[in-house]
Amino acid sequence: MAIQWYPGHMAKAKREVTEQLKKVDVVFELVDARIPYSSRNPMIDDVIQQKPRVVILAKKDMANLKELEKWESYFKEQGFYPVEVDAKHGKGLKQVEQAAIEATKEKMAREKEKGLKPRAIRAMIVGIPNVGKSTLINKLAKKSIAQTGNKPGVTKQQQWIKVGNALQLLDTPGILWPKFEDQLIGKKLSLTGAIKDSIVHLDEVAIYGLEFIIEHDYDRLINHYNISVDKEAPILEWFDAIGRRRGLLQKGNEVDYEAVIELIINDIRNAKLGTFTFDLVTEMDV
Ligand code: G4P
């Protein structure tokens, strides 16, 4: 489901998440491992402030693992606790619990010194739509709790889910808005399916994705589509070759570019052309 974000919704979402944050010891900021910068809410530091933070790089099965290591270092430098997760296949879940323990160690030690009884760490998940919040909650809970659907902010009736021995997680995530301002970020959000009804033109999304893959994994690309196109060829030649090979043609034997664009975007979204991280630490203005 698509969300329309208006200033009023954003303010409400921020207010609700800020309110929920008071109940937790640690925040799980979920980002898409394919775009660890572009998939962050633009005001996230303002929302979370000094609360201990585990940054969860979600959907790692679709990302470039070498690049993720660099992102982990980057987030560590910021004082956060990064973890890579593939919730779809149940990988990295134990590390989430471990990171939460690590991130709240000092707070728990202080409570112990004061003579307070040991208790479970309380956490909540926040992130933009479609980064995998509900999928992760359901995996951590080991049952289906969170609806995979999107409503800004958080809903009212919430419960704590027990995760392992050390952790309690709010069953509803905080949903925050994505970045809107930057065209390139818009293309990346569309390419990863974070925004489906695009705010950027789909032809530009496909061109951006295709150019990225030509540069980073040319061989896989030509093998996947079984085409022979020069690496330096104009992008239209790629569209033509893919369209003709797949029989995506209109009347008069013309290539149906809309169909080619849809094919390319879907293939990238589903990681059929390889596993990529489109945000590179070295190129980011971070
Ligand atoms: P949200 O709550 O943050 O909005 O996200 P949600 O969990 O609904 O996940 C959005 C999409 O991302 C879903 O796909 C979900 O299956 C997929 N997803 C979540 N985590 C992972 C992961 O670790 N790896 C991969 N590969 N995919 C993941 P969908 O196409 O909307 O639905 P479906 O594929 O489940 O039918």
Side-chain angles (χ1 to χ4, degrees), residues 1-5 30-42 58-59 62 127-133 149-151 175-180 184-200 202 205 265-266 268-270 278-279:
M1 197 204 317
I3 302 178
Q4 297 295 331
W5 292 97
L30 220 62
V31 301
D32 188 314
R34 294 167 294 176
I35 46 171
Y37 170 76
S38 301
S39 59
R40 302 183 84 191
N41 167 266
K59 310 191 188 184
M62 298 205 277
I128 66 166
N130 293 318
V131 282
K133 297 181 295 300
N150 297 307
K151 248 171 109 201
I175 303 171
L176 295 168
W177 63 96
K179 295 177 168 131
F180 294 119
L184 178 58
I185 291 177
K187 288 179 206 170
K188 291 177 182 180
L189 287 168
S190 175
L191 204 56
T192 52
I195 296 175
K196 278 173 188 147
D197 48 345
S198 189
I199 46 168
V200 280
L202 289 181
V205 174
I265 292 177
N266 279 332
I268 296 176
R269 277 184 187 163
N270 298 323
F278 298 95
D279 285 342

Side-chain angles (χ1 to χ4, degrees), residues 3 5 10 12-21 24 27-31 39 41 44 47-48 123-134 137 146 149-155 158 169-178:
I3 302 178
W5 292 97
M10 296 184 203
K12 186 161 181 268
K14 184 178 175 215
R15 221 169 31 240
E16 287 183 357
V17 171
T18 304
E19 199 51 41
Q20 298 305 319
L21 284 176
V24 304
V27 186
F28 295 161
E29 182 196 352
L30 220 62
V31 301
S39 59
N41 167 266
I44 195 69
V47 175
I48 297 181
M124 80 176 285
I125 289 179
V126 301
I128 66 166
N130 293 318
V131 282
K133 297 181 295 300
S134 316
I137 290 173
N150 297 307
K151 248 171 109 201
V154 280
T155 50
Q158 296 182 314
L169 180 68
L170 265 191
D171 66 350
T172 36
I175 303 171
L176 295 168
W177 63 96

Side-chain angles (χ1 to χ4, degrees), residues 236-262:
L236 203 59
E237 244 177 69
W238 285 89
F239 277 33
D240 283 333
I242 294 167
R244 295 212 176 274
R245 176 63 74 196
R246 289 296 176 93
L248 301 172
L249 304 171
Q250 292 174 318
K251 264 191 237 147
N253 217 25
E254 294 287 321
V255 169
D256 181 349
Y257 290 115
E258 256 182 54
V260 176
I261 285 164
E262 199 183 316

